[in-house]
Amino acid sequence: MSTVPAPRELTTRPRLSDRVFRRVVTAGGLSSLVILGLITVFLAYRGVEVLRQEGFNFITKSNWSITTDDAGNVVESHFGLAAMLVGTILCSAVAVVIALPISVATALYLNFYAPPWLKKFLIAVIDMMAAFPSILFGIWGFLVLMPSIEYWAKLLNRYLGFVPVFHVDAYVFTRSPFVAGVILAIMIIPIITSVSREVFSQAPLDRIQAAYALGATRWGMIKAVVIPHGRSGVIGGAMLGLGRAMGETVAVFTVLNIVFQVNWHVLFGVGGNVASLIILKFGEASPYEIKALMAAGLVLFVLTLLVNAIADLIVKTTGKSGK
Amino acid sequence: MTTVAPRKPWAATPADRLRDLAIFLLSAVLSYLVVAVTPAKGKLAYVGLFFIFYSVASGIAGWIKFGRRSAADLFIKTLIGLMAFVTVLPILSILTTVIAKGYRGINLNIFKTDMSLNAPTDPLNVGGLLHAITGTVILVSVALVLSVPLGILTALYITEVKGRFTKPIKFLVQAMSGVPSIVAGLFILSAVLYPITKAYSGFMASLALTILMIPTIARTSEEVLKLIPNDLREAGVALGGTQWRTVAMIVLPAARSGLMTAVILGIARIAGETAPLLLLSGGGDKVNPNPFHDPMGSLPYYIWKSFNAGSPEAITRAWAGLLVLITIVLILFTAARLLSTRKVK
Amino acid sequence: MTSSLSEVANAHVTKAPSIRAAGTGLEARGVHAWFTKHHALADVSLDFAPGTVTALIGPSGCGKSTFIRTLNRMHEFIPGAAMAGEVLLDGKDVYAPGVDVTKIRLQIGMVFQKPNPFPSMTIGENVLSGLKLAQVKVDNKDDLLEECLERAGLWKEVKDRLGAHGGSLSGGQQQRLCIARALAVRPQVLLMDEPCSALDPGSTLRIEETIRHLSDTMTIVIVTHNMQQAARVSDSTAFFLSDGGPGQMIEFAPTSEIFSRPKDKRTEDYVTGRFG
């Protein structure tokens, strides 16, 4: 016991078949890295000309115009995403503000209130909703939901119109960022709900029972144990939802009235988002305009990556602090 | 010896149930009255007011019975239950609308013909979505062939090989699941379509769908493989198996039904994806069995085109397309659930 | 307690050294084991004579399971694991460079704490799975199947349902199936890591019978928490203990001696039930 030897260096090599296996799996595992890298490289490569031309104006100005002469050469062009970026943020912010409380309450209901049979059924239904195609939300939102939302939007404007975001310049309530936001909210509720449900279910049982043993009501227990435990996980889930809402294309394009004008008034029927701009302009875009669209795609890509990275970080830190 | 009947002293008594029912009815009547006398109107007004009345009424009932703390508890309980109901409400509305509006566009004919001779605005008895269904099947199949190996290899890297990049790859897969579908479309456009093929085709769209599908398959497979007890891997290795043979003969077969679930969820994720198809597939109106040549139609593209044509017939076509699409997604989803709940023996 | 245990140990007739299994046996020389920085096992040297059963006993956390896993190189699967010393099989170091690890594990089989038949395979496939895993060719698989199940004491119970799933057996039967599976690749040594800890007393007895039969032809090392079991099945016993530091082997002797005349005070305290 007096002398402890140094650990042995193990030099045996695994068999050839295992080395091949590990290489193949590693190569496959790196596919996500390769794909994400290629996306960045190619979008940047196609968009760099426009980005260089426009500089910061690309994200601060909001006009989208291109003039070509008869030979098809570009005479003059202005590309600025500001209105679309504002619209992206506005729509997805509305979505998260609406979806977050509903999702958290649903997750709490599923974990702590629902009878077991109902819980199973609801989880299946909500998971299923996450698999609904976005074009369905778009068309349903436009034809079915919009009239109802319009009514609520008018109500909000009448009683809360003095709050700047609820102000409207003209009496146009259809196809507003608010409508798009509500539809996006419905689309991201399943995501935030399932993340929240996950973190709530990890709340330590001993602490839950301790709270009950101290005479806490169910809500008291949730406030004292579950919410503090799950808070950052829920925020992470909301960020994931935000990322999804920012990248949504077809549903937003279907309901939103896309106009190149910076509009911070959620109820006013003018807006846009980067993804739907790409769909809108792609059909008749000239080669140079396509480059601008690629640059817009790059901006959107970086934005969603950023939001997702932050979300991932937040969700991970809860996992650790909770134990 | 007297027999003792089992009791559940904590269960609701008939009196409790009666009181709950009374609160429910009272709130319903109140919300009806308020809608009747005030300018508030519409289905949502009923629902909204009912929420408020129901929560407050149960809170008050709790206060009367047990005091203030209980009032808050019951108020919140009702509120939370109602919020959960709000979550389900859109699903109910979506399903009923799609069925109610879509069934008129469904007839045997649409499964036999395509739209090569018709416009979306034509009467409903001509034209069909055969091209769209075959197109979607082909697009999804090609995407499957590409994404299943990559997705499962990624999961194997995280759970079995556990190399140096495990953490970054987990992060990247997460990040990849957040890539907007339109960006995936633009990427294929810029990296493959413009420089190489220079033509719209089903294969281009499948490539974009592959990007969207990999993270779903990788993450679900990862979860499934993590559930395989480590004992089994150790037993395989202790019997003189190499890691490769242990994974191929024991781990993957044991995870079989879970991996099927992963694949099905991946299909459900992309079957209705629209944006990249608008950029890449070209959206033909004719049945086209070759993914490498000529534009290829698909259900989402058909729905999109019909909806944008705008006439009542075209909109009905769109709803019918949605009904077909959603039926496919629901069947896949149910299959995935049945598979995943079946226990590993 | 002491008397009853030593009676049990004496009742089990220690095998005459003339009955010897093939090979020159397994030997551990100065084995240490680490988990990252944690020094779990220090300087264990043990000689497992061919054709004998050696029991490793000791309280939880004394390093006996870690030790048994160093013998067939399962230890290195735990991330951050390290070891020192030598493990000799037939005089050759199993940790030497250039050694084919999978071959070592073919020669030194292992049975785990919990029964773990492969869920995707039938009973028959489970028994023969080692052949497929290690790509060993056998002429007559049916004979081998019967022989292994017979030796594991399971043949009579399952011969009519070899096509059923391994999971359909009871816990004790599953564990015997795992023993049969380990036997099919014909190892010289069988390591058993608390093979009965998840089983009921009846199944435990059946496994112990099996172990005694097997020891005629192979070397067996068994980790157990149960001192009666050690007394019943083993020829020699090693007592492991950790005094807060790394686990050490305190005493190694014929089983009857360990339970009747332990040399070390700590061994005596443990086998008489004063702690642990």
Side-chain angles (χ1 to χ4, degrees):
Chain A
M1 193 47 226
S2 50
T3 53
V4 175
R8 276 181 80 163
E9 201 66 42
L10 289 187
T11 46
T12 30
R13 271 151 63 88
R15 279 198 190 175
L16 180 68
S17 64
D18 264 3
R19 274 177 287 156
V20 171
F21 169 71
R22 294 176 76 90
R23 290 233 178 98
V24 169
V25 173
T26 308
L30 289 174
S31 59
S32 52
L33 175 71
V34 172
I35 291 173
L36 287 176
L38 285 178
I39 292 178
T40 320
V41 168
F42 272 95
L43 292 184
Y45 166 70
R46 300 272 167 191
V48 70
E49 193 181 338
V50 171
L51 283 175
R52 203 173 279 161
Q53 178 93 34
E54 299 291 336
F56 270 111
N57 288 348
F58 193 67
I59 51 172
T60 54
K61 290 272 166 60
S62 27
N63 39 12
W64 195 274
S65 64
I66 178 161
T67 325
T68 50
D69 59 19
D70 295 338
N73 298 317
V74 180
V75 178
E76 199 189 357
S77 68
H78 295 287
F79 298 120
L81 279 180
M84 296 300 126
L85 285 172
V86 167
T88 305
I89 292 164
L90 204 57
C91 293
S92 40
V94 170
V96 170
V97 166
I98 294 171
L100 187 58
I102 295 178
S103 307
V104 170
T106 306
L108 287 175
Y109 181 76
L110 289 173
N111 271 346
F112 301 104
Y113 291 96
W117 61 272
L118 185 62
K119 176 177 174 175
K120 257 171 114 180
F121 174 74
L122 285 179
I123 289 174
V125 168
I126 292 169
D127 283 352
M128 182 183 82
M129 189 169 165
F132 277 3
S134 56
I135 189 167
L136 173 61
F137 286 102
I139 294 179
W140 172 79
F142 186 78
L143 295 177
V144 179
L145 192 63
M146 198 149 76
S148 306
I149 301 179
E150 202 185 331
Y151 167 75
W152 288 87
K154 283 177 183 158
L155 217 63
L156 267 177
N157 176 252
R158 184 188 298 169
Y159 296 108
L160 294 170
F162 56 90
V163 183
V165 283
F166 294 130
H167 176 78
V168 287
D169 292 330
Y171 210 63
V172 181
F173 289 101
T174 48
R175 314 197 68 178
S176 65
F178 181 67
V179 178
V182 172
I183 288 161
L184 287 174
I186 293 169
M187 294 176 73
I188 63 174
I189 280 175
I191 298 168
I192 308 183
T193 302
S194 69
V195 174
S196 310
R197 195 165 60 79
E198 199 66 30
V199 295
F200 289 156
S201 69
Q202 285 164 3
L205 192 65
D206 51 344
R207 267 184 258 170
I208 292 177
Q209 289 177 340
Y212 278 137
L214 287 170
T217 58
R218 186 148 34 176
W219 173 237
M221 181 281 291
I222 290 172
K223 263 199 308 189
V225 180
V226 178
I227 305 260
H229 173 86
R231 188 181 293 131
S232 56
V234 170
I235 295 170
M239 295 289 285
L240 280 183
L242 182 69
R244 184 59 59 86
M246 289 198 318
E248 180 47 48
T249 315
V250 170
V252 175
F253 179 83
T254 312
V255 295
L256 207 54
N257 183 24
I258 299 167
V259 177
F260 277 87
Q261 173 190 332
V262 174
N263 168 30
W264 284 105
H265 308 305
V266 284
L267 303 178
F268 185 49
V270 157
N273 86 356
V274 179
S276 52
L277 162 87
I278 295 168
I279 286 291
L280 178 74
K281 296 288 180 188
F282 176 75
E284 57 262 16
S286 63
Y288 189 71
E289 194 176 351
I290 293 275
K291 286 180 183 165
L293 293 178
M294 295 284 179
L298 182 66
V299 171
L300 178 63
F301 177 60
V302 171
L303 209 62
T304 48
L305 269 194
L306 221 61
V307 170
N308 268 299
I310 296 169
D312 199 53
L313 222 66
I314 295 174
V315 175
K316 276 214 188 98
T317 45
T318 8
K320 277 174 199 149
S321 69
K323 275 160 201 164
Chain B
M1 200 175 123
T2 53
T3 49
V4 180
R7 284 194 315 136
K8 288 185 178 168
W10 51 86
T13 62
D16 290 337
R17 295 227 174 103
L18 194 67
R19 194 198 57 216
D20 289 347
L21 186 70
I23 293 172
F24 185 86
L25 289 177
L26 182 75
S27 330
V29 170
L30 266 178
S31 58
Y32 179 78
L33 287 177
V34 171
V35 173
V37 292
T38 60
K41 68 176 172 67
K43 272 176 277 179
L44 282 172
Y46 283 116
V47 177
L49 287 168
F50 176 73
F51 275 18
I52 299 166
F53 290 134
Y54 192 41
S55 324
V56 171
S58 6
I60 292 171
W63 192 325
I64 293 166
K65 203 167 171 200
F66 296 118
R68 225 185 68 202
R69 245 158 44 98
S70 163
D73 190 40
L74 276 174
F75 175 74
I76 297 282
K77 177 184 172 180
T78 317
L79 202 66
I80 282 176
L82 291 171
M83 291 284 222
F85 179 67
V86 171
T87 301
V88 191
L89 210 55
I91 309 180
L92 294 178
S93 169
I94 288 173
L95 286 178
T96 50
T97 319
V98 171
I99 294 168
K101 304 212 171 182
Y103 85 95
R104 273 183 298 139
I106 300 282
N107 54 51
L108 263 185
N109 204 30
I110 62 170
F111 299 108
K112 290 185 201 147
T113 50
D114 57 27
M115 295 296 282
S116 48
L117 303 171
N118 303 99
T121 47
D122 284 351
L124 292 170
N125 56 359
V126 296
L129 36 71
L130 184 63
H131 66 296
I133 294 175
T134 53
T136 286
V137 169
I138 292 169
L139 290 181
V140 170
S141 311
V142 175
L144 261 183
V145 169
L146 298 172
S147 61
V148 167
L150 289 176
I152 292 183
L153 284 178
T154 305
L156 284 178
Y157 184 79
I158 295 171
T159 59
E160 308 296 322
V161 171
K162 291 183 186 143
R164 239 174 322 158
F165 308 111
T166 303
K167 272 191 183 159
I169 283 186
K170 273 178 89 164
F171 171 74
L172 287 172
V173 170
Q174 164 72 32
M176 203 168 155
S177 73
V179 170
S181 55
I182 187 93
V183 169
L186 279 179
F187 163 61
I188 297 301
L189 201 64
S190 67
V192 189
L193 199 146
Y194 285 154
I196 304 171
T197 66
K198 299 186 175 68
Y200 297 123
S201 71
F203 185 62
M204 295 299 106
S206 289
L207 285 178
L209 295 180
T210 304
I211 295 176
L212 301 171
M213 201 170 175
I214 288 174
T216 311
I217 295 184
R219 292 176 66 184
T220 320
S221 310
E222 183 199 329
E223 295 298 319
V224 172
L225 290 173
K226 270 192 190 149
L227 291 179
I228 302 296
N230 217 18
D231 287 14
L232 291 181
R233 297 185 181 97
E234 290 195 336
V237 175
L239 283 169
T242 55
Q243 186 179 25
W244 144 243
R245 295 190 73 82
T246 306
V247 168
M249 287 181 47
I250 293 162
V251 177
L252 289 180
R256 201 172 34 197
S257 65
L259 295 177
M260 275 301 289
T261 307
V263 170
I264 293 173
L265 288 180
I267 299 176
R269 161 83 180 81
I270 59 156
E273 195 51 72
T274 314
L277 307 191
L278 298 178
L279 298 185
L280 299 164
S281 74
D285 289 327
K286 211 168 68 179
V287 173
N288 170 17
N290 185 351
F292 299 99
H293 259 285
D294 299 329
M296 180 174 266
S298 56
L299 278 171
Y301 202 104
Y302 172 84
I303 296 162
W304 173 260
K305 199 171 166 184
S306 307
F307 175 71
N308 284 321
S311 78
E313 290 82 11
I315 300 261
T316 304
R317 279 181 199 279
W319 283 115
L322 280 172
L323 183 54
V324 172
L325 180 59
I326 207 172
T327 309
I328 294 173
V329 170
L330 286 189
I331 290 172
L332 287 173
F333 200 80
T334 316
R337 274 210 96 76
L338 288 179
L339 268 177
S340 65
T341 48
R342 210 179 57 187
K343 284 210 179 78
V344 182
K345 273 189 285 186
Chain C
M1 185 74 179
T2 324
S3 59
S4 70
L5 272 175
S6 56
E7 273 162 30
V8 176
N10 286 325
H12 168 49
V13 182
T14 309
K15 250 187 282 340
S18 59
I19 308 169
R20 286 236 146 182
T24 52
L26 184 68
E27 190 183 347
R29 275 194 203 155
V31 170
H32 292 252
W34 289 265
F35 297 107
T36 325
K37 290 274 174 284
H38 173 62
H39 194 180
L41 189 69
D43 200 22
V44 177
S45 297
L46 265 176
D47 194 351
F48 305 99
T52 61
V53 180
T54 306
L56 311 181
I57 60 167
S60 306
C62 65
K64 54 192 193 302
S65 281
T66 308
F67 174 65
I68 203 174
R69 289 169 65 93
T70 58
L71 296 178
N72 69 339
R73 299 192 58 172
M74 295 295 285
H75 175 63
E76 65 211 55
F77 279 106
I78 294 151
M83 68 83 66
E86 288 176 323
V87 175
L88 304 177
L89 180 68
D90 294 341
K92 287 184 208 114
D93 185 8
V94 306
Y95 285 93
V99 162
D100 184 353
V101 190
T102 52
K103 229 170 228 158
I104 293 297
R105 297 199 186 107
L106 271 179
Q107 290 165 296
I108 310 180
M110 188 165 198
V111 174
F112 297 82
Q113 215 163 23
K114 267 190 278 171
N116 53 3
F118 298 134
S120 54
M121 300 182 186
T122 64
I123 293 173
E125 286 168 352
N126 255 293
V127 175
L128 299 174
S129 59
L131 303 176
K132 269 176 147 185
L133 277 165
Q135 290 170 289
V136 179
K137 293 269 183 303
V138 173
D139 293 335
N140 198 330
K141 285 190 178 172
D142 292 342
D143 288 353
L144 180 70
L145 179 65
E146 182 176 347
E147 181 206 318
C148 294
L149 284 169
E150 188 70 61
R151 286 172 76 192
L154 193 62
W155 175 247
K156 285 201 193 79
E157 290 154 70
V158 302
K159 65 179 175 202
D160 299 323
R161 46 174 178 150
L162 294 171
H165 270 273
S168 63
L169 299 172
S170 74
Q173 289 173 322
Q174 285 188 18
Q175 191 63 304
R176 275 179 281 147
L177 176 62
C178 293
I179 294 176
R181 183 175 69 186
L183 294 176
V185 293
R186 301 200 182 281
Q188 297 173 31
V189 181
L190 189 61
L191 307 177
M192 305 178 107
D193 188 359
E194 298 188 38
C196 303
S197 65
L199 305 180
D200 59 278
S203 306
T204 302
L205 277 177
R206 298 292 307 272
I207 304 259
E208 287 176 8
E209 267 171 43
T210 307
I211 293 172
R212 276 205 294 269
H213 284 301
L214 291 175
S215 65
D216 293 342
T217 48
M218 63 201 310
T219 311
I220 293 177
V221 183
I222 175 170
V223 168
T224 177
H225 256 116
N226 179 334
M227 280 181 280
Q228 278 89 346
Q229 182 170 64
R232 283 192 298 261
V233 301
S234 68
D235 303 303
S236 350
T237 297
F239 173 62
F240 281 65
L241 185 66
S242 154
D243 53 0
Q248 281 169 287
M249 198 205 36
I250 304 297
E251 189 168 352
F252 177 52
T255 302
S256 51
E257 273 179 41
I258 286 270
F259 287 110
S260 52
R261 302 179 295 280
K263 291 195 184 68
D264 196 292
K265 178 79 172 63
R266 291 168 291 181
T267 314
E268 190 184 341
D269 286 349
Y270 185 72
V271 299
T272 53
R274 253 170 247 157
F275 79 96

